[in-house]
Amino acid sequence: MLKKIELFKEAGFKDNAINNFLVHDSPYFKVINFNFKAGQELPIHSHDIEGQVSIAVLEGSGAYLGKDDAVLPAETGDVLIADISEPHGIRATSDMRVLVTIAPPI
Amino acid sequence: MLKKIELFKEAGFKDNAINNFLVHDSPYFKVINFNFKAGQELPIHSHDIEGQVSIAVLEGSGAYLGKDDAVLPAETGDVLIADISEPHGIRATSDMRVLVTIAPPI
């Protein structure tokens, strides 16, 4: 089965929290859409396990956050790759949609 | 190390072929950016191996292709999930950027 998800229609924004939409979970990878209102932030975090994460910006802009106060501008079309064990976070400057893929799934 | 790739700056389009840009390859997943000029097509194909693929549209529009002439509209923000063993393809109506993630990597 092909499974199609229309994120721009199916997932919205919340005023008081990041909107978290599970796109797919399987033994191979986990795909999550996070929508941030301008100013919302996913704080820097990490998990002490094997694997990597990709974070693609589908819409809007903000920053990728890393350890030691690292701030990397994040614009539509940018992709960040990190080990899951490596501190990473996201801050939104405008309303912002990102697609996160975790492999293997957490 | 956090690795950031600015796809809209680093990957362009080609008149005579799909532009294929390897974003990342690791034991966990393979991430590839395909840029299609309007009218270009990645024909339906499949690989007889375990795993799944996600195809996210970063810009533009077209269609996801499946077996038995299935055609699913593909717009910016849409994501397709398929088994790697399942026939899938992409056709671009406008200039179109997609991000493909394969886990485990082929």
Side-chain angles (χ1 to χ4, degrees), chain A:
Chain A
M1 256 314 277
L2 301 179
K3 176 173 116 177
K4 188 183 103 169
I5 305 96
E6 301 181 0
L7 290 179
F8 285 14
K9 291 182 187 167
E10 296 180 39
F13 294 83
K14 287 196 293 202
D15 282 331
N16 56 344
I18 298 163
N19 194 63
N20 180 334
F21 182 83
L22 179 62
V23 177
H24 186 68
D25 199 2
S26 77
Y28 307 108
F29 52 16
K30 187 173 195 171
V31 183
I32 313 168
N33 166 224
F34 291 102
N35 286 348
F36 301 78
K37 294 282 286 180
Q40 290 178 344
E41 179 174 323
L42 182 67
I44 294 181
H45 63 285
S46 63
H47 304 275
D48 190 20
I49 53 175
E50 277 254 343
Q52 293 184 325
V53 57
S54 69
I55 306 174
V57 181
L58 299 177
E59 190 178 68
S61 54
Y64 298 113
L65 309 177
K67 63 181 174 186
D68 301 328
D69 298 323
V71 176
L72 299 171
E75 302 294 335
T76 302
D78 289 355
V79 179
L80 188 83
I81 307 281
D83 290 338
I84 299 173
S85 61
E86 196 172 2
H88 55 278
I90 306 168
R91 177 185 301 149
T93 309
S94 71
D95 289 0
M96 187 186 189
R97 297 174 187 265
V98 307
L99 192 67
V100 173
T101 303
I102 301 163
I106 294 183

